Amino acid sequence: MEPAPGPQEKYQLITRNLQEVLGEDKLMAILKERELKIYWGTATTGKPHVAYFVPMSKIADFLKAGCEVTILFADLHAYLDNMKAPWELLELRTRYYEHVIKAMLESIGVPLEKLKFVRGTDYQLSKEYTLDVYRLSSVVTQHDAKKAGAEVVKQVEHPLLSGLLYPGLQALDEEYLKVDAQFGGVDQRKIFTFAEKYLPSLGYAKRVHLMNPMVPGLTGSKMSSSEEDSKIDLLDRKEDVKKKLKKAFCEPGNVENNGVLSFIKHVLFPLKSEFVVLREEKWGGNKTYTAYEALEKDFAEQVVHPGDLKNSVEVALNKLLDPIREKFNCPELKKLSSAAYPTPSKAKPGEKGTKNSEPEDVVPSRLDIRVGKVISVEKHPDADSLYVEKIDVGEAEPRTVVSGLVHFVPKEQLQDRLVVLLCNLKPQKMRGVESQGMVLCASSAGEPRQVEPLDPPAGCCAGERVYVEGYEGGEPDEELKPKKKIFEKLQADFRISEDCVAQWKQRNFLTKLGTVSCKSLKGGSIS
């Protein structure tokens, strides 16, 4: 049996991977005397997603350090935050959260008997708590209440009084749950400092506050329940996990705002103390990392390919999700899931306000255009004018692309070249070979026709996103529907400028390193 960790070891476990601790001296003083009492609260709003594994992983750390941990299902908070959980759904969503959070904890090996689970409405409607809400409201200014909730409470043009009450209730929870510390994301910092300022005015002690960093979502921004593409749902099928990870932002060599790397750092490494990158033998075979810093260094130096990283995370993530999917495969929990999160009712096609009646935005951000590196070029076996290329676009495997460039670009000039590839066209067979993308090229207007592949800026890496100036933020369609002709409508305004820069409506095609251009075809079209 391993000896119990001492105060310093406990402190290291409690604080590892945190972004900030408020009250470090108090934390150490408590650990020298007794076990720390800590709580983590979650408002029962949108469906929990895989980013919830980040706090779950820290809860595992707290238990290893001997902490007494309470998990609060903050149902009343969910209602107060602009009714993110309508009153009639509050009970159902709270039950859903209880089941899914417990399933997550079990999937990472956390013993539930060591945890205390509490609902906010178990004590927040009591006479004593209600009186303290009024006492607090008599000393808190409107300015401080609004400022405290700015990062957490949904911000609207005409704020409701309920949103101003939210931070005060969260502060009082620390006293009524009888804890020494509260744990949350760094987005909670203003509420934590609000609690430190105002609890003593009611005669209550100031608590320790532990903050996790905000882990980027798959798009490189905060993972959000309301942004479908930024999150992987805990009940997503394996094919959906693969699809979302395939689209995830994971630029070669870029370790900033990289949601895939962040998930490894904050979830997978703490759970296993290692991470295995799965690779084919021809790319060096599997490699086991026992320190996250070594993995990050290899990724930054492009020793580890984004496609291999995503595949490895997919395997590890599905191992965590499998027991949760299995638990929710029973009729009772399927029914609970549907009732807690009903599908929004749809109006009849053509009615005002329906999806069908709204004009569709035809904007360049709907195109998934990436830098590609040509790995190999061969003549099409059945067509003299076509090449069959293998092009690396930052995925696990290179894409097969058929291009009509035989009469315009010698094979040697394509080999190992960086090109610009449209990646979300529907794959189609060209003389028996399925093409999974289109190499974008500049074309001259006159005869004889000249064609030049577009050139990304020097130094770009395979898989880097190419976007149109002013349209950096949008998410591309998963697949462009041929009948809607989105690409064709946008392509009508593609041109090469007098400086040989690729443009849409006089806005430049860009990567983070600069403009996309061609060699010489000024005023040409792009196809």
Side-chain angles (χ1 to χ4, degrees), residues 47-48 96 100 233-237 321 324-325 328 337:
K47 275 188 175 182
Y96 180 88
V100 86
D233 191 90
L234 296 166
L235 303 180
D236 273 350
R237 300 170 304 164
L321 296 181
I324 302 172
R325 293 182 187 118
F328 273 77
S337 181

Side-chain angles (χ1 to χ4, degrees), residues 264 269 273-281 283-299 301-305 308-309 312-313:
I264 296 169
F269 248 107
S273 300
E274 66 174 35
F275 182 72
V276 181
V277 174
L278 307 171
R279 294 187 295 205
E280 293 182 36
E281 286 301 325
W283 304 119
N286 295 353
K287 183 169 181 180
T288 301
Y289 290 89
T290 53
Y292 170 77
E293 292 72 21
L295 171 62
E296 187 179 271
K297 182 173 181 286
D298 276 2
F299 186 82
E301 294 173 359
Q302 298 189 37
V303 174
V304 174
H305 190 278
D308 293 328
L309 196 72
S312 307
V313 168

Side-chain angles (χ1 to χ4, degrees), residues 185-226:
V186 76
D187 59 340
Q188 305 265 342
R189 192 183 195 282
K190 289 176 182 174
I191 291 182
F192 291 168
T193 55
F194 172 93
E196 291 187 8
K197 178 179 178 179
Y198 281 107
L199 278 189
S201 69
L202 299 188
Y204 299 142
K206 188 160 65 169
R207 266 63 179 191
V208 175
H209 293 103
L210 310 171
M211 284 166 272
N212 250 349
M214 298 310 295
V215 174
L218 299 178
T219 55
S221 57
K222 176 183 171 182
M223 200 176 286
S224 165
S225 297
S226 59

Side-chain angles (χ1 to χ4, degrees), residues 378-389 402-409 414 430-431:
E378 302 295 338
K379 282 277 194 78
H380 192 296
D382 299 317
D384 292 340
S385 64
L386 301 178
Y387 285 131
V388 179
E389 302 124 359
V402 180
S403 301
L405 295 174
V406 170
H407 300 312
F408 304 103
V409 185
L414 277 178
M430 297 178 71
R431 300 293 291 272

Side-chain angles (χ1 to χ4, degrees), residues 120-137 168-169 172-173 175-176 178 199 202 204:
T121 47
D122 289 345
Y123 63 91
Q124 288 167 346
L125 301 177
S126 69
K127 178 182 174 182
E128 295 77 16
Y129 189 94
T130 303
L131 182 58
D132 270 345
V133 171
Y134 287 129
R135 287 175 64 206
L136 197 59
S137 68
L169 269 67
L172 287 172
D173 290 341
E175 175 64 26
Y176 279 79
K178 302 300 177 191
L199 278 189
L202 299 188
Y204 299 142

Side-chain angles (χ1 to χ4, degrees), residues 361-379:
D361 278 345
V362 180
V363 291
S365 54
R366 296 184 63 177
L367 305 179
D368 183 2
I369 306 176
R370 300 183 223 166
V371 175
K373 182 173 182 179
V374 180
I375 305 298
S376 67
V377 191
E378 302 295 338
K379 282 277 194 78

Side-chain angles (χ1 to χ4, degrees), residues 73-253:
F73 297 109
D75 47 359
L76 198 53
H77 282 82
Y79 180 71
L80 290 175
D81 187 2
N82 277 275
M83 293 182 286
K84 281 184 183 173
W87 195 260
E88 63 274 13
L89 295 179
L90 207 56
E91 166 67 18
L92 293 166
R93 289 196 178 173
T94 304
R95 279 170 48 207
Y96 180 88
Y97 263 70
E98 287 178 0
H99 283 290
V100 86
I101 295 292
K102 288 177 181 179
M104 290 180 79
L105 289 162
E106 286 174 325
S107 84
I108 63 172
V110 172
L112 297 186
E113 64 273 10
K114 290 190 175 184
L115 295 163
K116 183 180 178 184
F117 296 93
V118 179
R119 290 189 185 193
T121 47
D122 289 345
Y123 63 91
Q124 288 167 346
L125 301 177
S126 69
K127 178 182 174 182
E128 295 77 16
Y129 189 94
T130 303
L131 182 58
D132 270 345
V133 171
Y134 287 129
R135 287 175 64 206
L136 197 59
S137 68
S138 71
V139 293
V140 173
T141 65
Q142 180 191 3
H143 171 270
D144 282 1
K146 188 176 180 183
K147 180 184 173 186
E151 302 292 327
V152 177
V153 178
K154 185 178 179 183
Q155 299 300 296
V156 293
E157 189 178 351
H158 301 292
L160 298 172
L161 181 59
S162 58
L164 298 176
L165 292 174
Y166 189 111
L169 269 67
Q170 188 167 334
L172 287 172
D173 290 341
E174 296 179 349
E175 175 64 26
Y176 279 79
L177 292 170
K178 302 300 177 191
V179 294
D180 307 304
Q182 184 179 173
F183 164 61
V186 76
D187 59 340
Q188 305 265 342
R189 192 183 195 282
K190 289 176 182 174
I191 291 182
F192 291 168
T193 55
F194 172 93
E196 291 187 8
K197 178 179 178 179
Y198 281 107
L199 278 189
S201 69
L202 299 188
Y204 299 142
K206 188 160 65 169
R207 266 63 179 191
V208 175
H209 293 103
L210 310 171
M211 284 166 272
N212 250 349
M214 298 310 295
V215 174
L218 299 178
T219 55
S221 57
K222 176 183 171 182
M223 200 176 286
S224 165
S225 297
S226 59
E227 292 181 28
E228 196 60 36
D229 279 338
S230 85
K231 70 183 181 72
I232 294 174
D233 191 90
L234 296 166
L235 303 180
D236 273 350
R237 300 170 304 164
K238 288 187 177 184
E239 49 267 43
D240 294 325
V241 172
K242 180 183 284 291
K243 196 188 308 177
K244 288 179 180 180
L245 275 171
K246 191 175 179 181
K247 290 175 68 178
F249 177 82
C250 190
E251 206 170 49

